Amino acid sequence: AEMSLVRGKDLFQMAEDTIRLMAMVRAFRHRGHLAADLDPLNLDKEFRDKAVQMAPFNVSRELTAEYYGFTEADMEREFVVHGELPGASTRKLRDIVGTLKKAYCGKIGVEYRHMLSNVEKKWIATFVEAQYQEPFSGQEKREMLTDLAQAELFEKFLSYKHSTAKRFGLEGAEAVIPGLEAMMDHGSELGVEVAIIGMPHRGRLNVLTHIVHKPLQQIFHEFTPHDDPDADSYLGSGDVKYHLGTSSERTMRSGKNVHFSLLANPSHLEAVDPVVVGKARAKQFFLGDTERTRVIPIMLHGDASFAGQGVVAEVLELSDLTDYTTGGTVHVVVNNQIGFTTDPRKARSSPYPTDVAKTVGVPIFHVNGDDVEAVVRVFKLAIEYRQRYKKDVVIDMFCYRRHGHNELDQPMFTQPIMYKKIKNHPTPLDIYSKKLIDEGTITAEENKEIQDAIMKKFNDSFQKAKDWEPATQDWLSSQWAGIVNESVVEPPRVTGMPANELKDLSLKMHTIPPHLKVHTLLKKIYGERNTAVQVGEGIDWATAEALAFGTLIWEGFPVRLSGQDCERGTFSQRHMVIHDQNTQETYVPINTFAKDGAVMHVCNSNLSEMAVLGFEVGYSYENPKALVLWEAQFGDFANGAQVIFDTFIAAGERKWRRQSGITVLLPHGYEGQGPEHSSARIERYLQMCDDDPDDFPEYADLENSGQVQLANWQVVNASTPANYFHVLRRQMHRNFRKPLIMFTPKSLLRHPLCKSDLAAFKDGTRFIRVIPETASSIVPENVTKVVFCSGKVYYDLYKERAKRNNENVAFIRVEQLSPFPYDRIAEEARNYPNARLAWCQEESKNMGAWSFFEPRLRTALRNGNKDTEREFQYIGRAASASPATGNARQHNEEYNAIVAEVFDEE
């Protein structure tokens, strides 16, 4: 009996010890990263004050066997760890602790226990904890050393040659170059063929040179004043060298080819992120990469911007959405442990800059940037994970910034202790070359030979740089063959279609398969739309849009429409996707005649403006053969994406010579819905137009493409369904691409007068920039006032004129606001020589198109008609801080005042 009691006690003790052991293993896996040796500068040891220390609590005591009740005598005991730890099924406690410390508390810290998938967590644990991980060969170490030497010596060479130039060098973070190189080399063996890269300015020149393989001669050439080689063929203001991008194809060490595209970007940190994933998604579509293994997005981030910029979280939320996923982005945070001059404790509330990525449950690998071998291991682990599980993955490389924000900045003003340490800290190259020499992998002489050869290469390229000339125009890639710059002007192209084809396509796109249980009202809507086309009259806005999309797809152009609730449409007008009322099965009728990859993608986005618009801009960069549209839920919501408008859409072609045909749909109109649902802020987009209000275009025929090609974008406020049809088709039926800002209606979607006849869509028709007075009762000689207007307000005025039986006021609709139709405005003014001129708008005087229209009208009259005496008036709401009133009574009073002024009533 005594023996059995002892044995029972032993069994209980063993069970308790096993539980304690598993608790220790769990602690290492969950919190080991907090005790890892990640910071090359060991700054935490300098700042023990909890007010500045970034670790949430001291976990080192939890990562010892003693904390769990084990003693030194237990260290040689064996425990069964089969299925829990890789390797032998029974292991000594000392061996287990050593394995866990090596795996989780060395130069690599792993955060992955927050993930939902047990399969993925087990795979990462096995990868990290495995003792049988192969050591690097001597050849691999030499390759890492060479990559590291190239990165560091490149920065030194530039500092010698251009000591006063800002270059935002990589010093302190050079290990990212061997990391990227190893990742892409390994990735090429895992099926990667294309890498789309976005990154900030820090380290950009190094990545361009050593990863993308932009010619050294060109890099050095751009540091010295030089003539623009493309100035005669392509206008452009240019950009600083550390914002520029390029693309190239290179052969990796694996022997496989990879195409690299490094996107140009503005100084707005992280703004390029959605553009990268959008371009990658488009590349996958056009390559047929449905498995999403051949094309990968890579983003480099700064620590402060990754934590601070909201677009990072927006882009992460796109990562697993059906219409936006790319199969995973590799995020590399170059963690300088500083943001410009701001310490981490004042830059974020979380321990790491990467904690925002936990919201989407992806792994985060922290690594000490002074240990190049650890960096390479992490980068290879990241690409393995991405290719295997098709999800985002984050690398957080702890490093430092050897200089200030740039090479001319003085960091000692604000971070004296940090920069005293940096001044005396050896470089990653010094550390790694010493390690290889000490272990006998290379000799000191071999190390010197490697560095001398690299410096000779830099010197030779520098000497050749002054005579460098581009072999081809970099701004056009093979997918853009046939797309021209503004030096090639073409006559206007008709965008109409034969009536019989329109009727045939309408029948197909409005026919619903009998097995679908469709909402009764939707069946009625589809029937009425098709009837309007077949009869040839009464075609409304949504039907015209569907005809534009359908005809483009029929002609072989893919169409992608993206935005919040765009499948149905904010105003329940579009209904592009049919939902079965019993099964939720979806059906896109337009795709019944899709062919050769030309399909309609209608994408309900998440509730984001900046990320989704940026995504679609990136999509439009990839291939000119797709019509890419983004629709705001309401037009003024687009201000959440202002950075994308300002830096990419309005100025991108001028800065970077990259054309885009992105089409932006902004619902606009004053219907008494209040300040935030009325104005799409027309004035903001017109302010960014680059046409000179005092410069009357020289083109004899402004219907040709020259004026549009010279503009930075087009701003259109169409008033008829037919004109909407034509402006969408015009986007594709040109040999150039230009962004289109399109103000779309709300109440006009169902307005009985806002209809077009089929004759306005048929062969020989095209977009009309200015629509003249259409009423037969209006005789020019009897007109006393000509009112120019744009968009919905025309229908309000037309209705009021009919109510008054007035035949003295003519209405001219300006459909294309920019580029400004000087010739047509001058012509319409000539048609009414005895009339006063006015501009009428719904918006306040400091908003809308008035400020844009007024000086250009003067120019049109002066240069087009030799008329400098004619006066014209403003009719609209008074200047206001708020776009519109939320009071229905006040709205009606303002409307009545506008009408009274149009018809000269007291």
Side-chain angles (χ1 to χ4, degrees), residues 139 141 188 278 295 645 698 761:
Q139 178 60 28
K141 292 179 179 181
S188 69
V295 180
F645 283 111
E698 298 177 0
F761 297 79

Side-chain angles (χ1 to χ4, degrees), residues 165-185:
K166 292 180 185 179
R167 53 190 163 78
F168 296 94
L170 198 57
E171 291 101 324
E174 294 93 340
V176 78
I177 297 298
L180 286 170
E181 184 71 19
M183 181 178 80
M184 291 313 303
D185 188 47

Side-chain angles (χ1 to χ4, degrees), residues 767-817:
F767 177 75
I768 303 171
R769 294 176 297 143
V770 175
I771 300 178
E773 176 58 68
T774 57
S776 58
S777 61
I778 303 297
V779 179
E781 289 76 16
N782 299 333
V783 170
T784 58
K785 180 187 279 190
V786 173
V787 178
F788 292 93
C789 58
S790 186
K792 165 191 163 288
V793 72
Y794 164 77
Y795 291 96
D796 296 334
L797 299 180
Y798 183 92
K799 174 185 166 187
E800 293 292 342
R801 185 175 67 181
K803 189 190 300 183
R804 288 166 170 75
N805 292 317
N806 183 294
E807 296 181 353
N808 305 119
V809 179
F811 300 132
I812 311 298
R813 285 174 273 175
V814 184
E815 303 282 286
Q816 178 176 293
L817 293 164

